[in-house]
C-alpha cells in the first residue's frame, strides 16, 4: 500500500479503529518525498544498523528497510502493532519493539538486534519528547550519526552559533558532541493531521573527539546552563546566581577576567572554547 496516501491511510486507520493521540504527538506523513529524502539524508546502506523512534504506520520505516542492513523501530503506542504488522511486517531486516525509548536499555537492544554494526538514528521524532530523547541519544556514545525531523524552532536552536538569537545551552551541548547541519524544512501540509508548526530535518555527525577538552564535563555543562539560565543577565550575574552556594561574586568575576572576557558580556556570546576555559577557571576555585 501507499503509506503516504491520505486515502489509504484513512482506510487503514478506520480498519483498525485507530485514533490519533495528541499526547503522543502523532502526525503521519502524507508526502512520499519526505520519508525518502530523510532516509537518503541519513546515509544508511547495507552495512548500517538504524534505530528509528516512533515509526507511526511505517512510512519512514519502509524507506529505511530498503536501504539499511538492520532497522530497529521503537514505538510507544501499542495500538499501532497490528497496523505496522500489515504495513512493514514483510521486511525481514526489521525488528519492532513496543515501549518507551526513554526507559529502554539501548545498549542491550542494539547488541541484540544489530550486533557488530555501525549504528545511526533516523526518525521523525514526536515534538513533545525531542529534547530528552536527543539528549539520551547524543550522550549515549552508541551512534555515529543522528538524522531526525523535529520542530523547526528546535532544529534552528540546535544548529545555532554564538551571537545567534536561537543559541542556547542545548546548542552548546549539540556542538560539543556533534557537528549539526540543517538539511531542509517540511511544511505542516505534509502531515495528517497538520501540526501547527513547521518541521525541519537535521543531521548530526558524532565527533570522534569532543569539540573542546574539559577536565570535568558535568561542571562544563553546569557553567553553560547557568550562563543561559537568565538570558537578560550579564555573564557575571548569571554565574553568580548559578554558583551562589560555592563562590562569591568577586570570585566569579575573577574567573571571567582570567578568560579575557568582560563581566558584562552575556552567555550567548561565548563559544565552546570560551565556555571550556571558563569552566576550568571556575573548577579551580571550587
Amino acid at each position: 500500500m501507499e503509506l503516504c496516501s491520505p486515502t489509504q491511510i484513512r482506510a487503514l486507520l478506520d480498519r483498525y479503529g485507530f485514533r490519533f493521540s495528541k499526547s503522543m504527538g502523532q502526525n503521519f506523513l502524507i508526502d512520499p518525498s519526505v520519508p525518502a529524502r530523510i532516509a537518503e539524508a541519513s546515509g544508511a546502506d547495507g552495512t548500517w544498523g538504524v534505530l528509528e523512534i516512533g515509526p507511526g504506520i511505517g512510512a519512514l520505516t519502509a524507506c529505511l528497510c530498503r536501504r539499511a542492513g538492520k532497522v530497529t523501530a521503537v514505538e510507544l503506542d501499542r495500538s499501532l502493532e497490528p497496523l505496522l504488522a500489515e504495513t512493514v511486517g514483510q521486511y525481514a531486516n526489521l525488528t519492532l519493539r513496543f515501549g518507551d525509548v526513554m526507559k529502554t536499555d539501548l545498549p542491550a537492544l542494539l547488541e541484540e538486534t544489530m550486533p557488530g554494526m555501525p549504528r545511526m538514528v533516523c526518525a521523525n521524532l514526536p515534538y513533545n519528547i525531542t529534547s530528552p530523547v536527543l539528549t539520551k541519544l547524543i550522550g549515549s556514545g552508541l551512534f555515529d550519526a543522528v538524522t531526525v525531523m523535529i520542530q523547526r524552532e528546535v532544529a534552528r536552536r540546535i544548529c545555532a552559533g554564538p551571537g545567534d538569537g536561537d543559541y542556547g545551552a542545548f546548542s552548546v551541548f549539540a556542538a560539543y558532541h556533534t557537528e549539526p547541519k540543517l538539511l531542509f524544512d517540511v511544511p505542516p501540509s505534509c502531515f495528517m493531521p497538520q501540526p501547527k508548526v513547521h518541521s525541519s530535518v537535521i543531521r548530526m555527525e558524532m565527533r570522534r573527539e569532543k569539540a573542546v577538552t574539559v577536565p570535568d564535563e558535568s561542571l562544563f555543562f553546569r557553567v553553560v546552563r547557568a550562563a543561559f539560565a537568565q538570558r537578560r543577565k550579564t555573564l557575571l550575574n548569571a554565574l553568580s546566581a548559578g554558583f551562589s552556594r560555592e563562590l562569591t561574586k568577586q570570585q566569579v568575576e575573577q574567573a571571567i577576567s582570567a578568560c579575557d572576557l568582560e563581566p558584562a558580556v552575556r552567555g550567548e556570546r561565548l563559544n565552546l572554547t570560551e565556555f571550556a576555559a571558563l569552566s576550568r577557571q571556575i573548577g579551580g576555585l571550587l
Side-chain angles (χ1 to χ4, degrees):
M1 66 179 293
E2 295 293 331
L3 295 181
C4 290
S5 162
T7 301
Q8 294 195 37
I9 290 174
R10 289 191 188 96
L12 176 71
L13 302 186
D14 288 345
R15 188 156 65 249
Y16 290 97
F18 177 83
R19 296 293 180 267
F20 288 99
S21 169
K22 287 185 178 181
S23 65
M24 293 187 188
Q26 291 173 326
N27 304 91
F28 299 157
L29 284 162
I30 57 172
D31 181 341
S33 70
V34 176
R37 288 182 72 187
I38 297 172
E40 181 179 7
S42 75
D45 61 26
T47 66
W48 284 90
V50 180
L51 174 68
E52 183 189 12
I53 297 160
I57 59 170
L60 176 58
T61 315
C63 293
L64 292 171
C65 286
R66 291 193 287 266
R67 299 181 66 95
K70 296 284 187 180
V71 177
T72 298
V74 179
E75 173 58 55
L76 179 62
D77 189 351
R78 192 106 203 177
S79 70
L80 286 168
E81 185 170 5
L83 287 79
L84 285 164
E86 177 177 337
T87 58
V88 293
Q90 72 272 29
Y91 293 105
N93 62 339
L94 172 65
T95 300
L96 283 171
R97 290 293 167 85
F98 291 87
D100 185 344
V101 71
M102 293 301 294
K103 299 176 182 178
T104 298
D105 183 345
L106 289 181
L109 176 63
L110 300 180
E111 183 59 31
E112 175 192 347
T113 61
M114 51 185 83
M117 301 180 77
R119 299 154 181 166
M120 65 169 64
V121 175
C122 187
N124 170 17
L125 288 182
Y127 296 147
N128 58 336
I129 62 169
T130 298
S131 293
V133 167
L134 284 180
T135 299
K136 178 174 181 173
L137 297 175
I138 293 170
S140 70
L142 296 170
F143 306 100
D144 293 300
V146 174
T147 304
V148 288
M149 178 160 60
I150 56 179
Q151 187 174 336
R152 184 171 64 182
E153 287 71 17
V154 178
R156 290 180 174 175
R157 198 177 308 145
I158 289 171
C159 298
D164 192 314
D166 293 319
Y167 187 58
F170 203 71
S171 313
V172 176
F173 174 79
Y176 177 80
H177 289 284
T178 78
E179 295 182 75
K181 184 178 181 181
L182 187 63
L183 300 182
F184 58 91
D185 292 336
V186 181
S189 59
C190 292
F191 297 89
M192 173 196 292
Q194 289 192 22
K196 295 180 180 179
V197 297
H198 283 70
S199 302
S200 294
V201 177
I202 64 171
R203 178 177 167 81
M204 292 175 280
E205 194 85 22
M206 296 299 163
R207 297 183 183 272
R208 294 188 180 276
E209 295 182 2
K210 300 297 190 295
V212 290
T213 301
V214 294
D216 185 339
E217 278 193 12
S218 62
L219 176 61
F220 171 75
F221 286 114
R222 184 183 171 192
V223 169
V224 171
R225 289 192 298 271
F228 288 103
Q230 300 180 59
R231 297 182 71 96
R232 294 185 180 182
K233 284 192 172 185
T234 64
L235 185 62
L236 173 59
N237 289 336
L239 293 180
S240 296
F243 289 86
S244 60
R245 294 183 179 181
E246 299 103 326
L247 301 175
T248 65
K249 192 168 187 177
Q250 184 177 7
Q251 286 176 306
V252 173
E253 185 170 9
Q254 174 188 334
I256 293 172
S257 298
C259 298
D260 294 323
L261 296 170
E262 293 294 327
V265 73
R266 286 179 167 77
E268 63 201 47
R269 295 289 173 182
L270 273 62
N271 58 34
L272 268 71
T273 301
E274 290 167 329
F275 273 121
L278 189 56
S279 72
R280 283 193 291 269
Q281 291 294 329
I282 288 178
L285 295 172
L286 293 177

